[in-house]
Amino acid sequence: MKTKDDGKVKLIRRLKIVEGQVRGLQEMLENDTYCIDIITQTSAVKQALSGVEDALMEQHLGTCVVHQIQKGKQSVAVGEILKVYRLKRK
Amino acid sequence: MKTKDDGKVKLIRRLKIVEGQVRGLQEMLENDTYCIDIITQTSAVKQALSGVEDALMEQHLGTCVVHQIQKGKQSVAVGEILKVYRLKRK
Amino acid sequence: MKTKDDGKVKLIRRLKIVEGQVRGLQEMLENDTYCIDIITQTSAVKQALSGVEDALMEQHLGTCVVHQIQKGKQSVAVGEILKVYRLKRK
Amino acid sequence: MKTKDDGKVKLIRRLKIVEGQVRGLQEMLENDTYCIDIITQTSAVKQALSGVEDALMEQHLGTCVVHQIQKGKQSVAVGEILKVYRLKRK
């Protein structure tokens, strides 16, 4: 499906940016950047990953979950959403 | 429905405990308890509230969401779950 | 010290508001309010508690920690800050 | 200083692992891995970054902050710790 593939390509692009940010963190450490600036950047990377999580969750809810419930597999669907909802706090 | 009411009663009981913990925090401040101990307790109260959130989400997914999707209101259902999923990070 | 007492009084007032919010959550459950609205409010209460935590941490860093380090108890100070910094993620 | 360099080398190594995990996430997307499994892994990467943050904070508190307070720059030290403490919630 085209729409789905578009979403996939965009998410991979966002993760490539995250990968670059993580390499940037290594350089910051290498160059003895001030700790507070490194921690601030680490926090930005985690927020970027949370954004990817939100997009994945949106995709999951809009496709897989609807199918699961229509096929009567609602307890599987509910269990999985709860699992990632609990993880989100971490 | 009996099961639903049981869940409601249990959640209200858990929130009464949280209410007592919040009063306890006020007493800790009143008695000049060491800051670190108060912060540790504040964190425990937030975790208790997160536990209540998880139980509410479980109830929501197991009842409302299933009905919403069966009635074709899946975009409403998805939007609401995403909203609270994003809030969870806070 | 006056300033410190002022801070204490303000924090107790904020916790009284949180206590009222937790009672409000119980009423929402009692009145069968829509789950999503209750979860949204639970999240607001946790954010209010995080605000209290930030104020406590500010007070702690500005008074206790400075004294601890001046008295050579820096390993105690560092250990305690790290403890609450780790808890913050929860 | 040797100890400090050891810490630096270890942290860079941990970030190289995180970089590999982020590349792994891209492959999971490429291979159409089940959303829930990708989200679970995203959460693991964020936890690994939080671990790096904790180690950076420990290093910061044990060296920079102690020097700052001994030099009378306590308001700078306090402001910076509060800044990253507030970010931690994100």
Side-chain angles (χ1 to χ4, degrees), chain A residues 6-85:
Chain A
D6 271 7
K8 202 170 100 170
V9 169
K10 274 184 195 161
L11 281 175
I12 292 175
R13 206 178 300 146
R14 282 167 79 172
L15 284 169
K16 279 207 184 305
I17 295 171
V18 171
E19 190 190 328
Q21 288 175 312
V22 175
R23 262 196 303 272
L25 284 170
Q26 293 166 43
E27 282 165 34
M28 288 175 102
L29 269 162
E30 203 69 77
N31 302 334
D32 295 314
T33 308
Y34 188 46
C35 312
I36 295 294
D37 296 330
I38 311 182
I39 297 177
T40 305
Q41 181 60 11
T42 317
S43 176
V45 180
K46 287 198 297 179
Q47 286 181 58
L49 284 168
S50 291
V52 171
E53 264 177 8
D54 290 345
L56 284 165
M57 187 65 160
E58 188 168 5
Q59 211 173 60
H60 179 64
L61 292 169
T63 54
C64 315
V65 171
V66 173
H67 293 152
Q68 286 171 320
I69 291 178
Q70 282 164 349
K71 284 181 186 166
K73 295 187 177 177
Q74 50 200 57
S75 72
V76 174
V78 167
E80 288 177 345
I81 296 173
L82 274 178
K83 182 191 158 192
V84 293
Y85 182 69

Coordinates of all heavy atoms in Angstrom, one line a residue, chain A residues 6-85:
Chain A
D6 N 4.9 5.2 2.3 CA 5.3 6.5 2.6 C 5.6 6.7 4.0 O 6.7 7.3 4.4 CB 4.1 7.5 2.2 CG 4.2 7.9 0.7 OD1 5.1 7.3 0.0 OD2 3.4 8.8 0.3
G7 N 4.7 6.2 4.9 CA 5.0 6.4 6.3 C 6.3 5.7 6.7 O 7.0 6.2 7.5
K8 N 6.5 4.5 6.1 CA 7.7 3.7 6.5 C 9.0 4.5 6.1 O 9.9 4.6 6.9 CB 7.7 2.4 5.7 CG 8.5 1.3 6.2 CD 8.2 0.0 5.5 CE 9.2 -0.3 4.5 NZ 9.0 -1.7 4.0
V9 N 9.0 5.1 4.9 CA 10.1 5.8 4.4 C 10.4 7.0 5.3 O 11.5 7.3 5.6 CB 9.9 6.3 2.9 CG1 10.9 7.3 2.5 CG2 9.9 5.1 2.0
K10 N 9.3 7.7 5.7 CA 9.5 8.9 6.5 C 10.1 8.5 7.9 O 10.9 9.2 8.4 CB 8.1 9.6 6.8 CG 7.8 10.6 5.7 CD 6.5 11.3 6.0 CE 6.0 12.0 4.7 NZ 4.5 12.3 4.8
L11 N 9.6 7.4 8.4 CA 10.1 7.0 9.7 C 11.6 6.6 9.7 O 12.3 6.8 10.6 CB 9.2 5.8 10.3 CG 7.9 6.2 10.9 CD1 7.1 5.0 11.3 CD2 8.2 7.1 12.1
I12 N 11.9 5.9 8.6 CA 13.3 5.5 8.4 C 14.2 6.7 8.3 O 15.3 6.8 8.9 CB 13.5 4.5 7.2 CG1 12.8 3.2 7.5 CG2 15.0 4.3 6.9 CD1 12.8 2.2 6.3
R13 N 13.7 7.7 7.6 CA 14.4 9.0 7.5 C 14.6 9.6 8.9 O 15.7 10.1 9.2 CB 13.7 9.9 6.5 CG 14.6 10.9 5.9 CD 13.8 11.8 4.9 NE 13.2 11.1 3.9 CZ 12.0 11.4 3.3 NH1 11.3 12.4 3.7 NH2 11.5 10.6 2.3
R14 N 13.6 9.6 9.7 CA 13.7 10.2 11.0 C 14.7 9.4 11.9 O 15.4 10.0 12.7 CB 12.3 10.2 11.7 CG 11.4 11.3 11.2 CD 9.9 11.1 11.6 NE 9.7 11.5 13.0 CZ 8.5 11.6 13.6 NH1 7.4 11.3 12.9 NH2 8.4 11.9 14.8
L15 N 14.7 8.1 11.7 CA 15.6 7.3 12.5 C 17.1 7.5 12.0 O 18.0 7.4 12.8 CB 15.3 5.8 12.4 CG 14.1 5.5 13.3 CD1 13.6 4.1 13.0 CD2 14.4 5.6 14.8
K16 N 17.3 7.9 10.7 CA 18.6 8.2 10.2 C 19.1 9.5 10.9 O 20.3 9.6 11.2 CB 18.6 8.4 8.7 CG 18.7 7.0 8.0 CD 19.3 7.2 6.6 CE 19.2 5.9 5.8 NZ 19.8 4.7 6.5
I17 N 18.2 10.4 11.1 CA 18.6 11.7 11.8 C 18.9 11.3 13.3 O 20.0 11.8 13.8 CB 17.4 12.7 11.7 CG1 17.1 13.1 10.3 CG2 17.7 13.9 12.6 CD1 15.9 13.9 10.1
V18 N 18.1 10.5 13.9 CA 18.5 10.1 15.3 C 19.8 9.4 15.3 O 20.7 9.7 16.2 CB 17.4 9.1 15.8 CG1 17.8 8.5 17.2 CG2 16.0 9.8 16.0
E19 N 20.1 8.6 14.3 CA 21.4 7.9 14.3 C 22.6 8.9 14.2 O 23.6 8.8 14.9 CB 21.5 7.0 13.0 CG 22.7 6.0 13.0 CD 22.8 5.3 11.6 OE1 21.8 5.1 11.0 OE2 24.0 5.1 11.2
G20 N 22.4 10.0 13.4 CA 23.3 11.0 13.3 C 23.5 11.8 14.6 O 24.6 12.2 15.0
Q21 N 22.4 12.0 15.3 CA 22.4 12.7 16.6 C 23.2 11.8 17.6 O 24.0 12.4 18.4 CB 21.0 12.9 17.2 CG 20.2 14.0 16.4 CD 18.8 14.1 16.9 OE1 18.1 13.0 17.1 NE2 18.3 15.3 17.2
V22 N 23.1 10.5 17.6 CA 23.8 9.6 18.5 C 25.3 9.7 18.2 O 26.1 9.7 19.1 CB 23.2 8.2 18.5 CG1 24.1 7.3 19.3 CG2 21.8 8.2 18.9
R23 N 25.6 9.8 16.9 CA 27.1 9.9 16.5 C 27.6 11.3 17.0 O 28.7 11.4 17.5 CB 27.3 9.8 15.0 CG 27.7 8.4 14.6 CD 28.3 8.4 13.2 NE 27.3 8.9 12.2 CZ 26.3 8.2 11.6 NH1 26.3 6.9 11.8 NH2 25.5 8.7 10.8
G24 N 26.7 12.3 16.9 CA 27.1 13.6 17.4 C 27.4 13.6 18.9 O 28.3 14.3 19.4
L25 N 26.6 12.8 19.7 CA 26.8 12.7 21.1 C 28.2 12.1 21.4 O 28.9 12.5 22.3 CB 25.8 11.8 21.8 CG 24.4 12.4 22.0 CD1 23.4 11.3 22.4 CD2 24.4 13.5 23.0
Q26 N 28.6 11.1 20.6 CA 29.9 10.5 20.7 C 31.0 11.6 20.5 O 32.0 11.6 21.2 CB 30.1 9.4 19.8 CG 29.2 8.2 20.0 CD 29.2 7.2 18.9 OE1 30.2 6.9 18.3 NE2 28.0 6.7 18.6
E27 N 30.8 12.4 19.5 CA 31.8 13.5 19.2 C 31.9 14.5 20.3 O 32.9 15.0 20.7 CB 31.5 14.2 17.9 CG 31.9 13.4 16.7 CD 31.2 13.9 15.4 OE1 31.0 15.1 15.3 OE2 30.9 13.1 14.5
M28 N 30.7 14.8 20.9 CA 30.6 15.8 22.0 C 31.5 15.2 23.2 O 32.3 16.0 23.8 CB 29.2 16.0 22.5 CG 28.3 16.8 21.5 SD 26.6 16.9 22.1 CE 26.6 18.6 22.8
L29 N 31.4 13.9 23.4 CA 32.2 13.3 24.5 C 33.6 13.4 24.2 O 34.5 13.7 25.0 CB 31.7 11.9 24.7 CG 30.6 11.7 25.8 CD1 29.9 10.3 25.6 CD2 31.2 11.8 27.2
E30 N 34.0 13.0 22.9 CA 35.3 13.0 22.4 C 36.0 14.3 22.6 O 37.2 14.5 23.0 CB 35.3 12.6 20.9 CG 36.5 12.0 20.3 CD 36.8 10.6 20.9 OE1 36.2 9.6 20.4 OE2 37.7 10.5 21.7
N31 N 35.2 15.4 22.3 CA 35.7 16.8 22.4 C 35.6 17.4 23.7 O 35.7 18.6 23.9 CB 35.0 17.7 21.3 CG 35.2 17.1 19.9 OD1 36.1 16.4 19.6 ND2 34.2 17.4 19.1
D32 N 35.3 16.6 24.8 CA 35.1 17.1 26.1 C 34.1 18.3 26.2 O 34.3 19.3 26.9 CB 36.4 17.5 26.7 CG 37.4 16.3 26.9 OD1 36.9 15.3 27.4 OD2 38.5 16.4 26.5
T33 N 33.0 18.2 25.5 CA 31.9 19.2 25.6 C 31.4 19.2 27.1 O 31.5 18.1 27.7 CB 30.8 18.8 24.6 OG1 31.3 18.6 23.3 CG2 29.7 19.9 24.6
Y34 N 30.9 20.3 27.5 CA 30.4 20.4 28.9 C 29.2 19.5 29.1 O 28.3 19.4 28.3 CB 29.9 21.9 29.1 CG 29.6 22.2 30.5 CD1 30.4 21.9 31.5 CD2 28.4 23.0 30.7 CE1 30.0 22.2 32.8 CE2 28.1 23.3 32.0 CZ 28.9 22.9 33.1 OH 28.5 23.2 34.4
C35 N 29.3 18.7 30.2 CA 28.3 17.6 30.5 C 26.9 18.1 30.3 O 26.0 17.4 29.8 CB 28.4 17.2 32.0 SG 30.0 16.8 32.6
I36 N 26.5 19.3 30.8 CA 25.2 19.8 30.8 C 24.7 19.9 29.3 O 23.5 19.5 29.1 CB 25.1 21.2 31.5 CG1 25.4 21.0 33.0 CG2 23.7 21.8 31.3 CD1 24.4 20.2 33.8
D37 N 25.6 20.3 28.4 CA 25.2 20.4 27.0 C 25.0 19.0 26.4 O 24.1 18.8 25.6 CB 26.3 21.2 26.2 CG 26.4 22.6 26.7 OD1 25.3 23.1 27.2 OD2 27.5 23.2 26.7
I38 N 25.8 18.0 26.9 CA 25.6 16.7 26.3 C 24.3 16.1 26.9 O 23.5 15.5 26.1 CB 26.7 15.7 26.8 CG1 28.1 16.3 26.4 CG2 26.6 14.4 26.0 CD1 29.3 15.4 26.8
I39 N 24.0 16.3 28.2 CA 22.7 15.8 28.7 C 21.5 16.4 28.0 O 20.5 15.8 27.7 CB 22.6 16.0 30.2 CG1 23.8 15.3 31.0 CG2 21.3 15.6 30.8 CD1 23.8 15.5 32.5
T40 N 21.6 17.7 27.7 CA 20.5 18.4 27.0 C 20.3 17.8 25.7 O 19.1 17.6 25.3 CB 20.9 19.9 26.9 OG1 21.2 20.4 28.2 CG2 19.7 20.7 26.3
Q41 N 21.4 17.4 25.0 CA 21.2 16.8 23.7 C 20.7 15.4 23.8 O 19.9 14.9 23.0 CB 22.6 16.8 23.0 CG 22.6 16.2 21.6 CD 21.7 16.9 20.6 OE1 21.2 18.0 20.9 NE2 21.4 16.3 19.5
T42 N 21.1 14.6 24.8 CA 20.6 13.3 25.0 C 19.1 13.3 25.2 O 18.4 12.5 24.6 CB 21.2 12.7 26.3 OG1 22.6 13.0 26.4 CG2 21.0 11.2 26.4
S43 N 18.6 14.3 25.9 CA 17.2 14.5 26.1 C 16.5 14.8 24.8 O 15.4 14.2 24.6 CB 17.0 15.6 27.1 OG 15.6 15.9 27.3
A44 N 17.1 15.6 23.9 CA 16.5 15.8 22.6 C 16.4 14.6 21.8 O 15.4 14.3 21.1 CB 17.4 16.9 21.9
V45 N 17.4 13.7 21.9 CA 17.4 12.4 21.1 C 16.3 11.5 21.6 O 15.5 11.0 20.8 CB 18.7 11.7 21.2 CG1 18.7 10.4 20.4 CG2 19.9 12.6 20.7
K46 N 16.1 11.5 23.0 CA 15.0 10.7 23.5 C 13.6 11.2 23.1 O 12.7 10.5 22.8 CB 15.1 10.7 25.1 CG 16.2 9.8 25.6 CD 16.0 9.5 27.1 CE 16.0 10.7 27.9 NZ 15.7 10.4 29.4
Q47 N 13.5 12.5 23.0 CA 12.2 13.1 22.5 C 12.0 12.8 21.0 O 10.9 12.6 20.6 CB 12.2 14.6 22.8 CG 12.0 14.9 24.3 CD 12.0 16.4 24.6 OE1 11.1 17.1 24.0 NE2 12.9 16.9 25.4
A48 N 13.1 12.8 20.2 CA 12.9 12.4 18.8 C 12.4 10.9 18.7 O 11.6 10.6 17.9 CB 14.3 12.6 18.1
L49 N 13.0 10.1 19.6 CA 12.6 8.7 19.6 C 11.1 8.5 20.0 O 10.4 7.7 19.5 CB 13.5 7.8 20.5 CG 14.9 7.5 19.9 CD1 15.8 6.9 21.0 CD2 14.7 6.5 18.8
S50 N 10.7 9.4 21.0 CA 9.3 9.3 21.5 C 8.4 9.8 20.3 O 7.3 9.2 20.2 CB 9.1 10.3 22.7 OG 9.8 9.7 23.8
G51 N 8.8 10.7 19.5 CA 8.1 11.1 18.3 C 7.9 10.0 17.4 O 6.8 9.8 16.8
V52 N 9.0 9.2 17.1 CA 8.9 8.0 16.3 C 7.9 7.0 16.9 O 7.0 6.4 16.2 CB 10.3 7.3 16.1 CG1 10.1 6.0 15.4 CG2 11.2 8.3 15.3
E53 N 8.0 6.8 18.2 CA 7.0 5.9 18.9 C 5.6 6.3 18.7 O 4.7 5.5 18.4 CB 7.3 6.0 20.4 CG 8.2 4.9 21.0 CD 8.4 5.1 22.5 OE1 7.8 6.0 23.1 OE2 9.2 4.4 23.0
D54 N 5.3 7.6 18.8 CA 3.9 8.1 18.6 C 3.4 7.8 17.2 O 2.3 7.4 17.0 CB 3.9 9.6 18.8 CG 4.1 10.0 20.3 OD1 4.0 9.0 21.2 OD2 4.3 11.1 20.6
A55 N 4.3 8.0 16.2 CA 4.0 7.7 14.8 C 3.7 6.2 14.6 O 2.8 5.8 13.9 CB 5.1 8.2 13.9
L56 N 4.5 5.4 15.2 CA 4.4 3.9 15.1 C 3.0 3.5 15.7 O 2.3 2.7 15.2 CB 5.5 3.2 15.8 CG 6.8 3.1 15.1 CD1 8.0 2.7 16.0 CD2 6.8 2.1 13.9
M57 N 2.7 4.1 16.9 CA 1.5 3.8 17.6 C 0.3 4.2 16.8 O -0.7 3.5 16.7 CB 1.5 4.5 19.0 CG 0.4 4.2 19.9 SD 0.4 2.4 20.4 CE -0.6 2.5 21.8
E58 N 0.4 5.4 16.1 CA -0.7 5.8 15.3 C -1.0 4.8 14.1 O -2.1 4.5 13.9 CB -0.4 7.2 14.7 CG -1.5 7.9 14.0 CD -1.3 9.3 13.7 OE1 -0.1 9.8 14.0 OE2 -2.2 10.0 13.2
Q59 N 0.1 4.4 13.5 CA 0.0 3.4 12.4 C -0.6 2.1 12.9 O -1.5 1.6 12.3 CB 1.5 3.2 11.9 CG 1.6 2.8 10.5 CD 3.0 2.7 10.1 OE1 3.8 1.9 10.6 NE2 3.4 3.6 9.1
H60 N -0.1 1.7 14.1 CA -0.6 0.4 14.7 C -2.1 0.5 14.9 O -2.8 -0.4 14.6 CB 0.2 0.1 15.9 CG -0.2 -1.1 16.6 ND1 -0.1 -2.4 16.1 CD2 -0.8 -1.3 17.8 CE1 -0.6 -3.3 16.9 NE2 -1.0 -2.7 18.0
L61 N -2.5 1.6 15.6 CA -3.9 1.7 16.0 C -4.8 1.8 14.7 O -5.9 1.3 14.7 CB -4.1 3.0 16.8 CG -3.5 2.9 18.2 CD1 -3.5 4.3 18.8 CD2 -4.2 2.0 19.1
G62 N -4.3 2.5 13.7 CA -5.1 2.7 12.5 C -5.2 1.5 11.6 O -6.2 1.4 10.8
T63 N -4.3 0.6 11.7 CA -4.4 -0.6 10.8 C -4.5 -1.9 11.6 O -5.6 -2.5 11.7 CB -3.1 -0.7 9.9 OG1 -1.9 -0.7 10.8 CG2 -3.1 0.5 9.0
C64 N -3.4 -2.4 12.3 CA -3.5 -3.7 12.9 C -4.6 -3.8 14.0 O -5.3 -4.8 14.0 CB -2.1 -3.9 13.7 SG -0.7 -3.5 12.7
V65 N -4.8 -2.8 14.8 CA -5.7 -2.9 15.9 C -7.2 -3.1 15.4 O -7.9 -3.9 15.8 CB -5.7 -1.7 16.9 CG1 -6.8 -1.8 17.9 CG2 -4.3 -1.8 17.6
V66 N -7.5 -2.3 14.4 CA -8.8 -2.3 13.8 C -9.1 -3.7 13.2 O -10.1 -4.4 13.5 CB -9.0 -1.3 12.7 CG1 -10.3 -1.4 12.0 CG2 -8.9 0.1 13.3
H67 N -8.1 -4.3 12.5 CA -8.2 -5.7 12.0 C -8.4 -6.7 13.1 O -9.2 -7.6 13.0 CB -7.0 -6.0 11.1 CG -6.9 -5.2 9.9 ND1 -5.7 -5.0 9.2 CD2 -7.9 -4.6 9.1 CE1 -6.0 -4.2 8.2 NE2 -7.3 -4.0 8.1
Q68 N -7.5 -6.5 14.1 CA -7.6 -7.5 15.3 C -9.0 -7.5 15.9 O -9.5 -8.6 16.1 CB -6.6 -7.1 16.3 CG -5.1 -7.4 15.9 CD -4.1 -6.8 16.9 OE1 -4.3 -5.7 17.4 NE2 -3.1 -7.5 17.2
I69 N -9.5 -6.3 16.1 CA -10.8 -6.3 16.8 C -11.9 -6.8 15.8 O -12.8 -7.5 16.3 CB -11.1 -4.8 17.3 CG1 -10.2 -4.5 18.4 CG2 -12.6 -4.7 17.7 CD1 -10.3 -3.1 19.0
Q70 N -11.8 -6.5 14.5 CA -12.8 -7.0 13.6 C -12.8 -8.5 13.5 O -13.8 -9.2 13.2 CB -12.6 -6.4 12.2 CG -13.2 -4.9 12.2 CD -12.7 -4.1 11.0 OE1 -11.8 -4.5 10.3 NE2 -13.3 -3.0 10.8
K71 N -11.6 -9.1 13.7 CA -11.5 -10.6 13.7 C -11.7 -11.2 15.1 O -11.4 -12.4 15.3 CB -10.0 -10.9 13.2 CG -9.8 -10.7 11.7 CD -8.4 -11.1 11.3 CE -8.2 -10.8 9.8 NZ -6.7 -10.9 9.5
G72 N -12.1 -10.4 16.0 CA -12.5 -10.9 17.4 C -11.2 -11.1 18.3 O -11.3 -11.7 19.3
K73 N -10.1 -10.7 17.8 CA -8.9 -10.8 18.6 C -8.7 -9.6 19.5 O -7.6 -9.1 19.6 CB -7.6 -11.0 17.7 CG -7.7 -12.3 16.9 CD -6.4 -12.5 16.1 CE -6.3 -13.8 15.3 NZ -5.1 -13.9 14.5
Q74 N -9.7 -9.2 20.2 CA -9.6 -7.9 20.9 C -8.8 -8.1 22.2 O -8.1 -7.1 22.6 CB -11.0 -7.4 21.3 CG -11.9 -8.4 21.9 CD -13.4 -8.0 21.7 OE1 -13.8 -7.7 20.6 NE2 -14.1 -7.8 22.8
S75 N -8.7 -9.3 22.8 CA -7.9 -9.4 24.0 C -6.4 -9.3 23.7 O -5.7 -8.7 24.4 CB -8.3 -10.6 24.8 OG -7.7 -11.8 24.1
V76 N -6.0 -9.8 22.5 CA -4.6 -9.6 22.1 C -4.4 -8.2 21.8 O -3.4 -7.6 22.3 CB -4.4 -10.4 20.7 CG1 -3.0 -10.1 20.2 CG2 -4.6 -11.9 20.9
A77 N -5.3 -7.5 21.1 CA -5.1 -6.1 20.8 C -4.9 -5.2 22.1 O -4.0 -4.4 22.2 CB -6.2 -5.6 19.9
V78 N -5.9 -5.5 23.0 CA -5.9 -4.7 24.3 C -4.6 -4.9 25.0 O -3.9 -4.0 25.5 CB -7.1 -5.1 25.1 CG1 -7.0 -4.6 26.5 CG2 -8.4 -4.6 24.5
G79 N -4.2 -6.2 25.1 CA -3.0 -6.6 25.9 C -1.7 -5.9 25.3 O -0.9 -5.4 26.1
E80 N -1.6 -5.8 24.0 CA -0.5 -5.2 23.4 C -0.4 -3.7 23.5 O 0.6 -3.1 23.8 CB -0.4 -5.6 21.9 CG -0.1 -7.0 21.6 CD -0.1 -7.4 20.1 OE1 -0.7 -6.6 19.3 OE2 0.4 -8.4 19.8
I81 N -1.6 -3.1 23.4 CA -1.6 -1.6 23.6 C -1.2 -1.3 25.0 O -0.5 -0.3 25.3 CB -3.0 -1.0 23.2 CG1 -3.3 -1.2 21.7 CG2 -3.0 0.5 23.5 CD1 -4.7 -0.8 21.3
L82 N -1.8 -2.0 26.0 CA -1.5 -1.8 27.4 C 0.0 -1.9 27.7 O 0.6 -1.2 28.4 CB -2.2 -2.7 28.3 CG -3.6 -2.3 28.7 CD1 -4.3 -3.4 29.5 CD2 -3.6 -1.0 29.5
K83 N 0.6 -2.9 27.0 CA 2.0 -3.2 27.2 C 2.9 -2.0 26.8 O 3.7 -1.5 27.6 CB 2.5 -4.4 26.3 CG 3.9 -4.8 26.5 CD 4.3 -5.8 25.4 CE 5.8 -5.8 25.2 NZ 6.2 -6.5 24.0
V84 N 2.6 -1.4 25.6 CA 3.4 -0.3 25.2 C 3.0 1.0 25.9 O 3.8 1.9 26.1 CB 3.4 0.0 23.7 CG1 4.1 -1.2 23.0 CG2 2.0 0.1 23.2
Y85 N 1.7 1.1 26.4 CA 1.3 2.2 27.2 C 2.1 2.3 28.5 O 2.5 3.3 28.9 CB -0.2 2.1 27.4 CG -0.8 3.3 28.2 CD1 -0.9 4.5 27.6 CD2 -1.3 3.1 29.5 CE1 -1.5 5.6 28.3 CE2 -1.9 4.2 30.2 CZ -2.0 5.4 29.6 OH -2.5 6.5 30.3

